[in-house]
Amino acid sequence: MTIITDETVKTPWQDVMARKKTAQAELLKAFSSPANSGKGNKEASVSVPISVLDTDNAGDLVNSIRTGQTTCTAITNEYIQRAIQVHHETNCFTEILFDNAIQQASQLDADLAEGSKTSTLPLLGIPVTVKDQFNVKGVDTTLGYVGRAFAPAKEDAVLVKMLRSLGAVILAKTNIPQSIMWCETENPLWGLTTHQVNKAYTPGGSTGGEGVLLACKASMLGWGTDIGGSVRIPAHMVGVYGFKPSSSRLPYRGVPVSTEGQEHVPSAIGPLARNLETIHLTMASLIEAKPWELDARCAAIPWREEMYKTTIDQPLTIGVLMDDGVVRPTPPISRVLREAVELLREAGHDILEWNGDLHEECIKVMDQFYTVDGGEDIRRDVMAGGEPFIPHVEQLLNRGKPISVYEYWQLNKQKFDLQQAYLEKWNSILSTKTGKKADIILMPPMPHTAVPHRGCRWVGYTKVWNFLDYPALVIPGGAVCDQDAKEPWEFDARGSIDEWNMKLWEERRHEIASLKLPVGLQIIGRKLEEERLLAAGKVIDDLLRSKAHS
């Protein structure tokens, strides 16, 4: 939260925005051609085989560097050029870190040439981008607030330190919505981030800048935060992989957030990538580096590779939730899920019918938590800069009044009761074939695909898992097809949001079908069972990829 003083808003917010964008443009211009980006470093002139450059697998890229097929510097420069182009098309950047990235890559190459242990680093030379929220020493962390501009971080976030220690190269920070509290990507300071397929559509949020960079092969590994779906929604909308672990598995220290200090619905950090193996490699590498020794909030749970391997090697028991009972998924969302379920059945996995019981109750309590302070935290930050509210943030602030400490305690009691009830629900739904409980739940990530800007309304499919603090993974499931637009889809609306979703599909279905927009699948695991969830995700992903290539 920004502290407001008489001096805070003396500079018009438009002037602050102009200074920030001018500084960004100058940095981009300095690197806007390969001739300039190398800064005279001989490693920059090393050619990168297209098969190496286009790989989606971080492990393969690391091996290419280790075996001398390319260099860290050459990869960094190629990714910088791609990233600049994608930014010009989508407006995905906030802070530019290219100089530092090239210095870091050059040092890695020099260490490799000397035969140091650098070659064993698990993320050696991997180009990484991070959501604007992550502190990087020497640059701003604005959260999309004008009032936080020109206040550079004094040290790196724990995650940034760890990534660099593992060999990753941080290229840039990426755009988010004002306050981060929405599933699109827009703020008065940096502007609107657009979908890579169509500028009129949103890439989702709040980690939307990361999403488009990854979808366009301009980053190998992205990092976001997720307090209601902010990693998973962009992954679904742009067609990449996004993972939200349980909140205590990875270090959050050094990652400012709106309503910082609240613990009723913890935000989690998580990776995005174009390949599930990249997420597995990254999670294992970070947890093996013992983040709990750097962040007191991290659980001291080592990486359990045996759990991962065991899960892959046995048939899964999968609960399938087709509809949360509040907002119906549109035809392409339902079709992609049905097709995945059929593949799983054919492969011998046990399918259980899941239900939406408790989901709406969890979400109602969660929505009250968002405004327990009456919007004071967000309002103070916006007032400090003097910029306008984006519409959703303004609606959020006007939704609730501050509550007393006693009322807050009662809300927490409701949360704990609902968390216990969901645990008991999971334990009670058993396979009629084996008597086993579900290993995972398979369900939609949203009721719709990417939509036109400011078109999102319902994030209940994702945020219920933040309330429960269960790990959740989104993988690409398919794409909208022409037949989807022809499917009959008429129902009595369950409420205003369901009615909105039906109207949105009716008005846009032919356009959405023509764009062949991505459709994701969401997979849920039990609390702190990240290894089992990622393994189950690989089983499902392998089946989908096998079908796509058959």
Side-chain angles (χ1 to χ4, degrees), residues 118-193:
T118 298
S119 63
T120 65
L121 295 175
L123 303 182
L124 177 64
I126 296 301
V128 174
T129 45
V130 298
K131 187 178 185 177
D132 185 82
Q133 252 181 290
F134 291 83
N135 280 344
V136 175
K137 184 178 180 179
V139 298
D140 292 344
T141 299
T142 65
L143 307 187
Y145 292 127
V146 173
R148 294 199 184 199
F150 299 106
K154 295 179 180 178
E155 63 177 333
D156 291 337
V158 168
L159 180 83
V160 171
K161 292 177 184 177
M162 293 187 72
L163 288 170
R164 285 177 168 154
S165 73
L166 296 170
V169 177
I170 314 293
L171 301 182
K173 296 174 65 170
T174 55
N175 206 20
I176 60 176
Q178 182 187 52
S179 83
I180 72 139
M181 299 294 288
W182 189 228
C183 62
E184 300 189 33
T185 302
E186 177 186 12
N187 62 75
L189 181 61
W190 296 111
L192 179 72
T193 298

Side-chain angles (χ1 to χ4, degrees), residues 400-470:
K401 296 180 179 179
I403 65 176
S404 71
V405 172
Y406 178 80
E407 289 170 320
Y408 176 67
W409 289 344
Q410 308 319 301
L411 205 55
N412 272 316
K413 286 167 64 177
Q414 291 181 54
K415 180 188 78 168
F416 297 142
D417 287 344
L418 284 165
Q419 289 175 332
Q420 182 65 27
Y422 212 98
L423 172 68
E424 293 170 3
K425 171 185 171 178
W426 194 306
N427 290 337
S428 69
I429 300 177
L430 305 176
S431 167
T432 56
K433 296 178 183 177
T434 66
K436 291 182 178 179
K437 294 176 282 193
D439 297 304
I440 57 166
I441 302 168
L442 180 63
M443 62 181 290
M446 288 198 88
H448 53 70
T449 62
V451 293
H453 296 291
R454 299 187 177 181
C456 290
R457 293 291 185 279
W458 181 248
V459 294
Y461 284 90
T462 52
K463 73 180 183 181
V464 63
W465 309 114
N466 298 85
F467 182 85
L468 297 169
D469 203 13
Y470 290 2

